[in-house]
């Protein structure tokens, strides 16, 4: 007889994004606009720093929270960019990507029976971590509020069991973000109800028409918010798996315990690469952002000509596109797009039930790839 495993795993599936991506690999001549990975190479000076770290034998364990130089660089960077003031010695933890930062935070603050609020549609990586921490998920439908969590719909969702709210802005999959006024209103609700907020700001460097504002900069929020960020999207360093979290000292000392027994520390080589990025590569994200913005405008123009609706993206590199109503599910329509048009988008249902009827299109691809993909979508719509 087989021993039993964690029962929570029976309700957890492989990410819908990856599931669909893996499914279409068997097809030939498919233009994939599915994965949210920068198509730019990691900046040369960052790669050189990683190589130099290896040559200098900086390949041992580091402090559990990360090398001091990197923690200091993170606090300088976030203070300069987002007006956040954290102590590098006590309030910064360097993690194995932003995902690990979210995981160890949830495992620190969550107890069985708690609820965590998510604004749907939303990146599918949060729900499994919430369940593994022993909590349940409560979704807020944001389709009627321009895909934004608002103070009003948050207030309606909070119950006596609510422990935490996760906000991912700029958003994956919609690309929308929140204004300073909207963040301030949400922060007031968070403080009134004495709950935590995890603010996933991994796309903070990819905001186009406005300046990114962190909810941690709102008055009175410091003790209730954990800021999660990293270098994956901003510096095109996804494979380095280097993230970080910012939290008040009284909380971070407990998160550090979970982190310590989870991974000991982030990769030493990746830490030195990130140090180079944050100290000497502050202009690198701007060049990438300029190109993403051009691609966004191109995709928006093509979608407008096709008569397709979409969430108005303020940041990240995604378009959340509403496809014509059909008797088919969004997943089936996505398969049909692959089979009949040779183009792959992620079905919106991968981002919770509130994404049904939409498709996520990533424009983190070359202009040539985007043109080819948009041509195929247009042809599909013309003949169906």
């Amino acid at each position: 007889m087989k021993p039993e495993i964690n029962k929570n795993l029976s309700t957890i599936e492989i990410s819908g994004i990856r599931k669909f991506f893996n499914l279409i690999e068997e097809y030939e001549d498919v233009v994939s606009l599915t994965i949210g990975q920068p198509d730019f190479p990691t900046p040369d000076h960052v790669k050189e720093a990683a190589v130099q770290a290896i040559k200098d034998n900086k390949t041992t364990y580091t402090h559990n929270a990360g090398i001091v130089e990197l923690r200091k660089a993170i606090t300088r960077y976030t203070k300069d960019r987002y007006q956040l003031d954290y102590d590098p010695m006590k309030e910064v933890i360097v993690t194995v990507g932003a995902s690990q930062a979210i995981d160890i935070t949830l495992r620190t603050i969550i107890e069985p029976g708690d609820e965590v609020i998510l604004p749907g549609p939303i990146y599918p990586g949060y729900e499994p971590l919430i369940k593994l921490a022993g909590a349940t998920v409560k979704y807020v439908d944001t389709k009627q509020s321009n895909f934004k969590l608002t103070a009003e719909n948050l207030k309606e969702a909070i119950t006596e069991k609510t422990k935490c709210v996760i906000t991912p802005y700029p958003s994956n999959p919609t690309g929308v973000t929140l204004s300073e006024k909207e963040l301030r209103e949400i922060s007031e609700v968070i403080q009134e109800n004495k709950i935590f907020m995890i603010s996933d700001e991994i796309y903070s460097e990819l905001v186009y028409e406005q300046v990114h504002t962190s909810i941690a900069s709102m008055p009175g929020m410091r003790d209730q918010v954990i800021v999660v960020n990293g270098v994956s999207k901003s510096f095109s360093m996804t494979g380095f798996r280097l993230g970080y979290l910012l939290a008040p000292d009284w909380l971070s000392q407990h998160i550090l315990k979970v982190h310590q027994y989870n991974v000991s520390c982030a990769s030493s080589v990746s830490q030195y690469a990130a140090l180079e990025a944050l100290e000497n590569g502050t202009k690198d994200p701007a060049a990438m952002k300029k190109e993403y913005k051009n691609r966004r405008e191109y995709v928006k123009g093509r979608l407008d000509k096709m008569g397709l609706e979409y969430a108005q993206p303020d940041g990240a590199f995604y378009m959340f596109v509403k496809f014509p109503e059909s008797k088919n599910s969004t997943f089936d329509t996505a398969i049909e797009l692959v089979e009949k048009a040779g183009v792959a988008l992620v079905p919106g249902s991968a981002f919770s039930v509130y994404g049904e009827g939409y498709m996520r299109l990533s424009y983190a691809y070359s202009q040539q790839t985007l043109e080819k993909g948009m041509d195929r979508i247009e042809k599909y719509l013309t003949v169906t």
Side-chain angles (χ1 to χ4, degrees):
M1 182 177 291
K2 297 178 181 177
E4 290 188 357
I5 64 170
N6 186 336
K7 291 182 176 62
N8 288 327
L9 284 168
S10 64
T11 64
I12 293 173
E13 297 183 1
I14 300 297
S15 159
I17 302 172
R18 285 290 172 180
K19 186 185 294 185
F20 189 77
F21 180 77
N22 295 338
L23 182 66
I24 64 172
E25 283 193 327
E26 62 186 72
Y27 294 90
E28 296 181 359
D29 188 29
V30 173
V31 177
S32 177
L33 303 178
T34 56
I35 299 299
Q37 175 167 275
D39 69 324
F40 297 94
T42 302
D44 286 341
H45 67 103
V46 174
K47 291 187 287 188
E48 289 164 5
V51 172
Q52 192 61 49
I54 295 172
K55 290 181 177 179
D56 292 342
N57 294 315
K58 294 177 178 178
T59 54
T60 60
Y61 292 125
T62 71
H63 188 290
N64 295 127
I67 59 174
V68 172
E69 305 98 304
L70 176 56
R71 284 183 276 153
K72 288 181 176 179
I74 288 168
T75 55
R76 286 194 298 268
Y77 189 86
T78 54
K79 187 171 185 177
D80 177 60
R81 283 289 211 274
Y82 315 125
Q83 293 71 59
L84 301 180
D85 193 5
Y86 286 88
D87 183 345
M89 307 306 293
K90 298 179 180 180
E91 300 181 318
V92 181
I93 301 176
V94 180
T95 60
V96 184
S99 296
Q100 195 235 347
I102 295 165
D103 183 31
I104 60 176
T105 299
L106 286 168
R107 288 201 275 161
T108 301
I109 65 176
I110 293 301
E111 294 180 299
D114 287 341
E115 289 181 349
V116 178
I117 294 174
L118 297 178
I122 193 170
Y123 171 66
Y126 305 119
E127 181 175 342
L129 298 181
I130 293 167
K131 289 181 176 179
L132 287 172
T136 57
V137 175
K138 186 169 186 178
Y139 280 103
V140 171
D141 183 356
T142 65
K143 294 197 298 295
Q144 303 307 313
S145 54
N146 298 316
F147 295 101
K148 295 183 178 185
L149 181 69
T150 67
E152 290 73 21
N153 57 29
L154 172 58
K155 193 179 298 184
E156 291 176 1
I158 292 175
T159 71
E160 60 183 16
K161 294 182 179 180
T162 304
K163 176 63 73 70
C164 178
V165 180
I166 298 181
T167 51
Y169 295 106
S171 165
N172 174 9
T174 66
V176 305
T177 192
L178 301 180
S179 68
E180 184 174 348
K181 179 178 181 294
E182 291 165 331
L183 289 169
R184 188 178 299 275
E185 292 171 350
I186 290 173
S187 73
E188 291 171 357
V189 176
I190 295 294
Q191 292 176 66
E192 288 170 7
N193 289 274
K194 297 180 181 179
I195 57 179
F196 287 107
M197 168 171 280
I198 298 175
S199 182
D200 185 350
E201 303 180 21
I202 194 67
Y203 292 100
S204 60
E205 286 295 325
L206 299 178
V207 178
Y208 302 111
E209 276 71 42
Q210 56 185 299
V211 176
H212 175 74
T213 301
S214 173
I215 198 166
S217 67
M218 298 294 106
M221 274 297 286
R222 205 176 191 284
D223 269 346
Q224 290 172 253
V225 65
I226 302 93
V227 177
V228 173
N229 212 320
V231 295
S232 292
K233 312 297 183 178
S234 52
F235 293 93
S236 194
M237 295 174 64
T238 53
F240 285 82
R241 307 312 305 131
L242 202 290
Y244 56 85
L245 65 83
L246 308 172
D249 178 25
W250 70 268
L251 178 59
S252 62
Q253 61 181 288
H254 295 297
I255 300 176
L256 187 60
K257 297 175 192 175
V258 182
H259 173 72
Q260 173 187 348
Y261 292 114
N262 183 219
V263 297
S264 293
C265 62
S267 158
S268 60
V269 174
S270 294
Q271 289 189 56
Y272 284 102
L275 175 63
E276 172 65 22
L278 294 176
E279 284 195 330
N280 301 311
T282 54
K283 294 182 179 179
D284 292 336
M288 300 181 202
K289 182 168 77 170
K290 182 179 179 181
E291 180 58 28
Y292 288 136
K293 186 177 180 181
N294 290 338
R295 295 175 187 178
R296 182 194 66 166
E297 293 307 301
Y298 169 75
V299 173
K300 285 176 65 175
R302 291 296 301 272
L303 293 174
D304 288 341
K305 288 182 179 179
M306 296 178 208
L308 293 177
E309 298 177 27
Y310 50 85
Q312 291 294 332
D314 307 301
F317 35 58
Y318 306 110
M319 303 287 293
F320 206 52
V321 186
K322 187 175 184 179
F323 267 64
E325 290 188 14
S326 167
K327 63 180 180 180
N328 294 331
S329 68
T330 305
F331 187 89
D332 290 338
T333 301
I335 292 294
E336 190 173 88
L337 265 173
V338 172
E339 294 177 341
K340 294 186 177 181
V343 61
L345 308 178
V346 180
S349 53
F351 306 96
S352 84
V353 295
Y354 299 106
E356 184 63 40
Y358 288 79
M359 301 275 189
R360 190 192 75 174
L361 183 158
S362 169
Y363 53 88
Y365 290 88
S366 69
Q367 182 67 24
Q368 182 180 9
T369 300
L370 290 174
E371 289 175 6
K372 192 173 181 180
M374 298 309 292
D375 287 345
R376 292 186 177 191
I377 293 172
E378 185 172 19
K379 183 177 180 181
Y380 168 81
L381 293 172
T382 302
V383 299
T384 55

